[in-house]
């Protein structure tokens, strides 16, 4: 079975759950981009300035327990990751502490997302793993595709 998640739908969920300006979009057939629009007001002249900060990622591997992304953007990751953590905390109602210390682990060029640390997800992952095999997960220009098959 193939499940496709369109970036438009994903972005709609993000905008409904958070007031932060962040969106996902396809970069090429294997890479997607997280775009955060940072807004700053220049104090004396009161001018509002917006700047997009982009993070390129690709899916290296995926299972019901963990997703591993490859960082394609280099050193900018250290600057944008705290913002992404705060946004994820707002969207999924997870404390920032949990995200920083257990859910997301940055290791050089990889980002590991431990899905088993999501509140209420572990039991679901165990059940899914009993009946299904997650064969593949990858990105396209339109969205994220996940392929599963019965055990």
């Amino acid at each position: 079975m193939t499940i496709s998640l369109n970036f438009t739908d994903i972005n709609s969920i993000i905008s409904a759950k958070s007031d932060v300006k962040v969106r996902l979009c396809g970069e090429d057939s294997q890479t997607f981009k997280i775009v955060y629009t940072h807004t700053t007001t220049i104090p004396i002249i009161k001018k509002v300035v917006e700047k997009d900060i982009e993070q390129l990622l690709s899916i290296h591997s995926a299972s019901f327990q963990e997703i591993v992304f490859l960082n394609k953007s280099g050193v900018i990751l250290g600057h944008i990751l705290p913002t992404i953590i705060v946004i994820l905390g707002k969207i999924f109602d997870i404390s920032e502490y949990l995200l920083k210390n257990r859910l997301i682990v940055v290791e050089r060029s990889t980002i590991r997302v431990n899905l088993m640390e999501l509140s209420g997800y572990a039991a679901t992952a165990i059940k899914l793993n009993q009946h299904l095999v997650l064969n593949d997960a990858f990105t396209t220009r339109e969205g994220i595709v996940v392929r599963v098959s019965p055990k």
Side-chain angles (χ1 to χ4, degrees), residues 4 6 13 19-20 29-30 37 40 51 64 69 78 86 92 97 105 112-113 119 123 138 147 149:
S4 297
N6 189 300
I13 293 168
D19 59 351
V20 179
S29 62
Q30 297 175 342
T37 303
T40 303
K51 175 70 176 158
F64 292 121
F69 296 99
V86 169
F92 296 108
Y97 175 82
V105 177
R112 296 181 176 281
V113 180
S119 177
F138 58 93
R147 291 189 183 136
S149 60

Side-chain angles (χ1 to χ4, degrees), residues 18-69:
S18 172
D19 59 351
V20 179
K21 295 180 183 177
V22 68
R23 66 188 182 283
L24 301 173
C25 55
E27 179 69 15
D28 56 37
S29 62
Q30 297 175 342
T31 307
F32 69 100
K33 182 173 20 179
I34 299 173
V35 181
Y36 165 68
T37 303
H38 181 72
T39 305
T40 303
T41 304
I42 300 173
I44 296 174
I45 60 174
K46 306 279 189 215
K47 181 179 179 180
V48 176
V49 178
E50 289 187 345
K51 175 70 176 158
D52 285 345
I53 301 170
E54 301 176 352
Q55 177 66 46
L56 292 174
L57 300 171
S58 65
I59 299 174
H60 180 267
S61 64
S63 71
F64 292 121
Q65 293 81 24
E66 176 184 69
I67 300 173
V68 180
F69 296 99

Side-chain angles (χ1 to χ4, degrees), residues 105-139:
V105 177
V106 180
E107 301 168 333
R108 295 188 183 200
S109 63
T110 62
I111 303 165
R112 296 181 176 281
V113 180
N114 184 353
L115 299 175
M116 297 303 281
E117 295 298 330
L118 286 171
S119 177
Y121 176 78
T124 304
I126 291 168
K127 290 228 184 254
L128 287 171
N129 207 26
Q130 288 174 349
H131 303 288
L132 297 171
V133 175
L134 179 58
N135 298 317
D136 196 11
F138 58 93
T139 59

